[in-house]
PDB file of all heavy atoms in Angstrom:
ATOM      1  N   GLU A 253     -17.385  -6.474 -20.996  1.00  0.00           N
ATOM      2  CA  GLU A 253     -17.117  -5.284 -21.811  1.00  0.00           C
ATOM      3  C   GLU A 253     -16.162  -4.474 -20.861  1.00  0.00           C
ATOM      4  O   GLU A 253     -15.227  -3.765 -21.369  1.00  0.00           O
ATOM      5  CB  GLU A 253     -18.263  -4.353 -22.021  1.00  0.00           C
ATOM      6  CG  GLU A 253     -19.324  -4.726 -23.159  1.00  0.00           C
ATOM      7  CD  GLU A 253     -18.735  -4.252 -24.371  1.00  0.00           C
ATOM      8  OE1 GLU A 253     -18.559  -3.083 -24.550  1.00  0.00           O
ATOM      9  OE2 GLU A 253     -18.776  -5.122 -25.431  1.00  0.00           O
ATOM     10  N   GLY A 254     -16.341  -4.529 -19.549  1.00  0.00           N
ATOM     11  CA  GLY A 254     -15.627  -3.605 -18.629  1.00  0.00           C
ATOM     12  C   GLY A 254     -14.116  -3.984 -18.668  1.00  0.00           C
ATOM     13  O   GLY A 254     -13.386  -3.059 -18.228  1.00  0.00           O
ATOM     14  N   PHE A 255     -13.701  -5.107 -19.116  1.00  0.00           N
ATOM     15  CA  PHE A 255     -12.216  -5.426 -19.232  1.00  0.00           C
ATOM     16  C   PHE A 255     -11.589  -4.566 -20.200  1.00  0.00           C
ATOM     17  O   PHE A 255     -10.378  -4.248 -20.098  1.00  0.00           O
ATOM     18  CB  PHE A 255     -12.103  -6.897 -19.593  1.00  0.00           C
ATOM     19  CG  PHE A 255     -10.771  -7.391 -19.646  1.00  0.00           C
ATOM     20  CD1 PHE A 255      -9.860  -7.384 -18.410  1.00  0.00           C
ATOM     21  CD2 PHE A 255     -10.066  -7.775 -20.851  1.00  0.00           C
ATOM     22  CE1 PHE A 255      -8.606  -7.815 -18.440  1.00  0.00           C
ATOM     23  CE2 PHE A 255      -8.772  -8.217 -20.850  1.00  0.00           C
ATOM     24  CZ  PHE A 255      -7.994  -8.288 -19.676  1.00  0.00           C
ATOM     25  N   ARG A 256     -12.268  -4.036 -21.228  1.00  0.00           N
ATOM     26  CA  ARG A 256     -11.640  -3.149 -22.296  1.00  0.00           C
ATOM     27  C   ARG A 256     -11.117  -1.856 -21.746  1.00  0.00           C
ATOM     28  O   ARG A 256     -11.704  -1.331 -20.773  1.00  0.00           O
ATOM     29  CB  ARG A 256     -12.737  -2.792 -23.333  1.00  0.00           C
ATOM     30  CG  ARG A 256     -13.177  -3.994 -24.108  1.00  0.00           C
ATOM     31  CD  ARG A 256     -13.990  -3.420 -25.354  1.00  0.00           C
ATOM     32  NE  ARG A 256     -14.652  -4.590 -25.966  1.00  0.00           N
ATOM     33  CZ  ARG A 256     -15.529  -4.412 -26.904  1.00  0.00           C
ATOM     34  NH1 ARG A 256     -15.878  -3.143 -27.313  1.00  0.00           N
ATOM     35  NH2 ARG A 256     -16.175  -5.425 -27.462  1.00  0.00           N
ATOM     36  N   PHE A 257     -10.114  -1.329 -22.295  1.00  0.00           N
ATOM     37  CA  PHE A 257      -9.664   0.022 -22.016  1.00  0.00           C
ATOM     38  C   PHE A 257     -10.749   1.051 -22.311  1.00  0.00           C
ATOM     39  O   PHE A 257     -11.461   0.837 -23.243  1.00  0.00           O
ATOM     40  CB  PHE A 257      -8.392   0.395 -22.747  1.00  0.00           C
ATOM     41  CG  PHE A 257      -7.246  -0.452 -22.343  1.00  0.00           C
ATOM     42  CD1 PHE A 257      -6.719  -1.422 -23.001  1.00  0.00           C
ATOM     43  CD2 PHE A 257      -6.562  -0.214 -21.079  1.00  0.00           C
ATOM     44  CE1 PHE A 257      -5.552  -2.177 -22.689  1.00  0.00           C
ATOM     45  CE2 PHE A 257      -5.511  -1.017 -20.642  1.00  0.00           C
ATOM     46  CZ  PHE A 257      -5.148  -2.048 -21.400  1.00  0.00           C
ATOM     47  N   LYS A 258     -10.839   2.207 -21.608  1.00  0.00           N
ATOM     48  CA  LYS A 258     -11.707   3.259 -21.959  1.00  0.00           C
ATOM     49  C   LYS A 258     -11.294   3.787 -23.307  1.00  0.00           C
ATOM     50  O   LYS A 258     -10.172   3.649 -23.735  1.00  0.00           O
ATOM     51  CB  LYS A 258     -11.628   4.329 -20.773  1.00  0.00           C
ATOM     52  CG  LYS A 258     -12.299   3.909 -19.587  1.00  0.00           C
ATOM     53  CD  LYS A 258     -12.505   5.136 -18.603  1.00  0.00           C
ATOM     54  CE  LYS A 258     -13.601   4.798 -17.578  1.00  0.00           C
ATOM     55  NZ  LYS A 258     -14.019   6.056 -16.951  1.00  0.00           N
ATOM     56  N   GLU A 259     -12.241   4.539 -23.914  1.00  0.00           N
ATOM     57  CA  GLU A 259     -12.071   5.068 -25.263  1.00  0.00           C
ATOM     58  C   GLU A 259     -10.820   6.005 -25.207  1.00  0.00           C
ATOM     59  O   GLU A 259     -10.722   6.960 -24.277  1.00  0.00           O
ATOM     60  CB  GLU A 259     -13.268   5.795 -25.760  1.00  0.00           C
ATOM     61  CG  GLU A 259     -13.469   5.793 -27.094  1.00  0.00           C
ATOM     62  CD  GLU A 259     -14.658   6.691 -27.526  1.00  0.00           C
ATOM     63  OE1 GLU A 259     -15.724   6.477 -26.956  1.00  0.00           O
ATOM     64  OE2 GLU A 259     -14.571   7.465 -28.492  1.00  0.00           O
ATOM     65  N   GLY A 260      -9.888   5.855 -26.137  1.00  0.00           N
ATOM     66  CA  GLY A 260      -8.772   6.692 -26.424  1.00  0.00           C
ATOM     67  C   GLY A 260      -7.481   6.107 -25.550  1.00  0.00           C
ATOM     68  O   GLY A 260      -6.440   6.621 -25.647  1.00  0.00           O
ATOM     69  N   PHE A 261      -7.698   5.005 -24.719  1.00  0.00           N
ATOM     70  CA  PHE A 261      -6.591   4.510 -23.942  1.00  0.00           C
ATOM     71  C   PHE A 261      -5.979   3.182 -24.399  1.00  0.00           C
ATOM     72  O   PHE A 261      -5.267   2.597 -23.668  1.00  0.00           O
ATOM     73  CB  PHE A 261      -7.052   4.420 -22.503  1.00  0.00           C
ATOM     74  CG  PHE A 261      -7.295   5.773 -21.787  1.00  0.00           C
ATOM     75  CD1 PHE A 261      -8.527   6.266 -21.818  1.00  0.00           C
ATOM     76  CD2 PHE A 261      -6.174   6.429 -21.208  1.00  0.00           C
ATOM     77  CE1 PHE A 261      -8.694   7.617 -21.260  1.00  0.00           C
ATOM     78  CE2 PHE A 261      -6.428   7.702 -20.693  1.00  0.00           C
ATOM     79  CZ  PHE A 261      -7.730   8.257 -20.667  1.00  0.00           C
ATOM     80  N   ASP A 262      -6.379   2.743 -25.563  1.00  0.00           N
ATOM     81  CA  ASP A 262      -5.670   1.553 -26.137  1.00  0.00           C
ATOM     82  C   ASP A 262      -4.257   1.746 -26.312  1.00  0.00           C
ATOM     83  O   ASP A 262      -3.769   2.721 -26.782  1.00  0.00           O
ATOM     84  CB  ASP A 262      -6.379   1.081 -27.423  1.00  0.00           C
ATOM     85  CG  ASP A 262      -7.733   0.508 -27.183  1.00  0.00           C
ATOM     86  OD1 ASP A 262      -7.807  -0.426 -26.325  1.00  0.00           O
ATOM     87  OD2 ASP A 262      -8.722   0.754 -27.930  1.00  0.00           O
ATOM     88  N   PRO A 263      -3.425   0.738 -25.771  1.00  0.00           N
ATOM     89  CA  PRO A 263      -1.996   0.784 -26.008  1.00  0.00           C
ATOM     90  C   PRO A 263      -1.646   0.901 -27.453  1.00  0.00           C
ATOM     91  O   PRO A 263      -2.321   0.416 -28.317  1.00  0.00           O
ATOM     92  CB  PRO A 263      -1.607  -0.409 -25.446  1.00  0.00           C
ATOM     93  CG  PRO A 263      -2.748  -1.055 -24.539  1.00  0.00           C
ATOM     94  CD  PRO A 263      -3.817  -0.518 -25.252  1.00  0.00           C
ATOM     95  N   ILE A 264      -0.569   1.541 -27.769  1.00  0.00           N
ATOM     96  CA  ILE A 264       0.001   1.531 -29.263  1.00  0.00           C
ATOM     97  C   ILE A 264       1.342   0.681 -29.171  1.00  0.00           C
ATOM     98  O   ILE A 264       1.925   0.410 -28.032  1.00  0.00           O
ATOM     99  CB  ILE A 264       0.211   2.892 -29.610  1.00  0.00           C
ATOM    100  CG1 ILE A 264       1.303   3.657 -28.781  1.00  0.00           C
ATOM    101  CG2 ILE A 264      -1.081   3.788 -29.675  1.00  0.00           C
ATOM    102  CD1 ILE A 264       1.715   5.129 -29.497  1.00  0.00           C
ATOM    103  N   PRO A 265       1.736   0.253 -30.384  1.00  0.00           N
ATOM    104  CA  PRO A 265       3.025  -0.586 -30.359  1.00  0.00           C
ATOM    105  C   PRO A 265       4.138   0.009 -29.653  1.00  0.00           C
ATOM    106  O   PRO A 265       4.350   1.374 -29.747  1.00  0.00           O
ATOM    107  CB  PRO A 265       3.272  -0.631 -31.866  1.00  0.00           C
ATOM    108  CG  PRO A 265       2.001  -0.550 -32.565  1.00  0.00           C
ATOM    109  CD  PRO A 265       1.207   0.450 -31.739  1.00  0.00           C
TER     110      PRO A 265
END
Side-chain angles (χ1 to χ4, degrees):
Chain A
E253 284 280 309
F255 183 66
R256 293 192 192 170
F257 290 105
K258 284 196 164 188
E259 210 184 315
F261 291 92
D262 279 314
I264 63 174

